[in-house]
Amino acid sequence: MSTNYESLNYMNFDSLLTDEELMIRQTVRDFVTEKIDPVLMESHRTETFPKQLIPEFGKMGLLGSTIKGYDCPGIGHVAYGVLMEELERGDSGIRSFCSVQGALVMYPIYAYGSEKQKEKYLPKLAKAEMIGCFGLTEPDAGSNPGGMTTRAEKVAGGYKLNGNKMWITNGCVSDVAIVWAKLDGRIRGFIVDKGTPGFTTSTMKGKFSLRVSVTSELHFQNCVVPEENMLPNADGLKAPLGCLTQARYGIAWGVLGAANHCYHTALNYAKQRVIFDKPLAGYQLAQAKLAKMVQEITKGQLLVLQAGRMKEKGELMPHHVSLCKMNNCKIALETARDARDMLGGNGIIDEYPVIRHMLNLETVNTYEGTEDIHRLVVGEAVTGIPAYR
Ligand SMILES: Cc1cc2nc3c(=O)[nH]c(=O)nc-3n(C[C@H](O)[C@H](O)[C@H](O)COP(=O)(O)OP(=O)(O)OC[C@H]3O[C@@H](n4cnc5c(N)ncnc54)[C@H](O)[C@@H]3O)c2cc1C
């Protein structure tokens, strides 16, 4: 099935993608149109995640897509990027589900786990037979995860966890949580299975953003996890930050999907909407807004494509990813705000996707490091002087 939706191809961006990347993009695009688009309005209104889609994510190879082995697809990093873009053209909450599962749950097990942990969890997570979440943020430690107060203590046969995590995507619906806690002052990662005594979750309600996504708190009260559930190779803050770098790369691509969808909607609307006897698209002020969208989306596409090619060669560093995440979230949010404005009153109702994308992008601009935090990362990279404190 082909769709009416086309992503921006102003500078012939598509010519820079391989046949395989284009094919993956079209497959995910059709899946979003066929299966995701029809349920978004209801999911958004009722603040519920469309759980019936989860097995399809597994079948489509959308979870842990770049991991090689363990029943994962092992696709390239640019192919993964276009996949993320298409999912977020649907909704940032859908892309977040797949990002968290792949980059924040499967990646840490793959990168820092024992062989036994990889064999036990990765195939099930890839097929969506298991859902996972990533517990780093706490009520008093968001931008500064090193300030976490969740503690792990060595006890007979395992580790005892005490503390609370907040803003955790998929927390309440997860079978397994990757939890970061301080053991003797060092940040370590633990795999906590659902049902472990002392581990409970609660749902965070009332969000105006990312409503098609489950957001939760995780509570640990004398929760003892077995010794073999500690990630052996995750030692120090760089371990969770390594996972975030993976996820942020996907976000930098993903937000272009939301931006593209807003641009596409605004362009079509402006051509049809007659105001003072001529189409809105015929006014200079409207064209200036559309031209800005084309300009920024096109630059964003080229930025993440270069990041993807660097990642494929092992050259992409966290500070490069910060630039991509910071820039693309910002331009996507600005595009969504301008598109919303161009739709007038229709810009605030959910018959059009724009207000939903705009509200979602407020979260995406904040989570996984706020815009300002990434600005500080880039600032440190070019000056050599950290300015976080
Ligand atoms: C819907 C949603 C889902 C999320 N999912 C997850 C998840 O699955 N797992 C997880 O662990 N976390 C998750 N998060 C948490 C997210 O990563 C944090 O919200 C984010 O890191 C910001 O932390 P904070 O909310 O505590 O804001 P704060 O850190 O309190 O920041 C507040 C403001 O202070 C600014 N600021 C911070 N430090 C500085 C500084 N040094 N200089 C200048 N300004 C500064 C920030 O830029 C921001 O503007 C999620 C958040 C949301 C909203």
Side-chain angles (χ1 to χ4, degrees):
M1 179 183 167
S2 60
T3 75
N4 290 330
Y5 168 78
E6 293 288 340
S7 51
L8 193 60
N9 195 24
Y10 191 79
M11 294 290 288
N12 204 6
F13 176 75
D14 291 0
S15 69
L16 301 172
L17 300 176
T18 64
D19 287 347
E20 191 193 356
E21 289 157 358
L22 288 168
M23 191 265 291
I24 288 173
R25 186 176 76 174
Q26 190 60 48
T27 306
V28 182
R29 184 171 292 176
D30 292 346
F31 171 67
V32 170
T33 303
E34 216 178 301
K35 297 278 175 70
I36 296 180
D37 279 351
V39 302
L40 285 175
M41 187 192 280
E42 186 61 17
S43 282
H44 179 78
R45 284 186 182 179
T46 55
E47 210 177 341
T48 48
F49 187 82
K51 283 197 208 115
Q52 70 279 11
L53 294 174
I54 296 173
E56 308 250 8
F57 297 154
K59 274 189 219 140
M60 295 279 297
L62 304 177
L63 308 172
S65 317
T66 55
I67 293 176
K68 292 190 172 37
Y70 307 98
D71 296 348
C72 299
I75 63 172
H77 292 291
V78 172
Y80 173 74
V82 295
L83 180 163
M84 289 281 129
E85 180 180 340
E86 291 306 317
L87 289 177
E88 195 146 357
R89 188 265 294 181
D91 190 272
S92 304
I94 303 285
R95 197 269 308 138
S96 294
F97 182 98
C98 297
S99 280
V100 167
Q101 180 96 344
L104 298 180
V105 179
M106 297 174 71
Y107 176 80
I109 295 173
Y110 180 71
Y112 312 127
S114 65
E115 196 50 42
K116 206 168 150 203
Q117 290 168 344
K118 293 181 204 183
E119 279 164 16
K120 179 173 174 191
Y121 291 102
L122 292 179
K124 286 191 175 153
L125 288 161
K127 291 188 210 104
E129 290 166 7
M130 256 187 183
I131 299 169
C133 67
F134 176 88
L136 179 67
T137 304
E138 299 186 357
D140 294 320
S143 298
N144 59 330
M148 69 172 64
T149 57
T150 299
R151 293 281 180 276
E153 188 193 331
K154 183 80 189 84
V155 292
Y159 299 93
K160 186 161 68 181
L161 302 181
N162 276 292
N164 295 295
K165 299 291 178 181
M166 195 180 183
W167 297 113
I168 308 306
T169 302
N170 294 343
C172 289
V173 295
S174 285
D175 303 291
V176 63
I178 302 296
V179 179
W180 302 93
K182 280 185 182 162
L183 173 70
D184 300 328
R186 293 284 296 173
I187 293 177
R188 306 297 306 246
F190 300 87
I191 306 174
V192 185
D193 294 308
K194 183 180 177 177
T196 306
F199 172 34
T200 52
T201 61
S202 50
T203 305
M204 295 177 70
K205 285 280 174 193
K207 289 179 295 163
F208 279 72
S209 173
L210 224 68
R211 287 170 63 81
V212 183
S213 172
V214 174
T215 310
S216 316
E217 291 188 33
L218 313 181
H219 314 285
F220 302 93
Q221 208 174 5
N222 296 324
C223 168
V224 177
V225 296
E227 183 126 29
E228 66 264 24
N229 280 31
M230 182 160 86
L231 294 169
N233 303 316
D235 188 9
L237 185 58
K238 66 179 184 327
L241 293 186
C243 306
L244 293 174
T245 299
Q246 303 302 315
R248 289 164 178 164
Y249 168 77
I251 291 171
W253 276 95
V255 290
L256 293 178
N260 261 308
H261 201 193
C262 290
Y263 162 72
H264 189 257
T265 307
L267 176 64
N268 287 337
Y269 189 87
K271 284 188 198 162
Q272 281 159 21
R273 176 69 174 165
V274 175
I275 306 176
F276 294 110
D277 304 325
K278 71 172 183 184
L280 174 60
Y283 290 92
Q284 289 183 347
L285 287 173
Q287 289 191 7
K289 286 180 188 140
L290 291 169
K292 181 86 194 296
M293 293 179 199
V294 171
Q295 171 192 345
E296 295 302 339
I297 293 171
T298 301
K299 287 192 288 184
Q301 287 172 325
L302 296 170
L303 187 60
V304 284
L305 180 66
Q306 169 64 358
R309 298 292 180 225
M310 286 170 74
K311 193 165 170 59
E312 283 168 352
K313 287 190 266 177
E315 293 170 357
L316 192 70
M317 304 295 289
H319 64 270
H320 298 132
V321 178
S322 283
L323 185 72
C324 297
K325 201 267 179 188
M326 175 181 89
N327 183 77
N328 285 8
C329 288
K330 183 183 170 67
I331 66 100
L333 187 53
E334 285 172 358
T335 298
R337 287 173 180 161
D338 277 346
R340 200 229 55 76
D341 172 74
M342 289 180 72
L343 266 64
N346 282 325
I348 67 143
I349 56 168
D350 61 6
E351 188 185 331
Y352 296 87
V354 174
I355 186 77
R356 179 169 47 77
H357 281 310
M358 192 194 92
L359 294 171
N360 283 341
L361 289 164
E362 293 289 350
T363 284
V364 184
N365 201 37
T366 288
Y367 75 6
E368 308 254 357
T370 65
E371 189 182 328
D372 283 342
I373 287 294
H374 288 295
R375 215 174 290 291
L376 291 172
V377 174
V378 175
E380 182 184 3
V382 295
T383 64
I385 306 168
Y388 306 93
R389 292 177 187 278

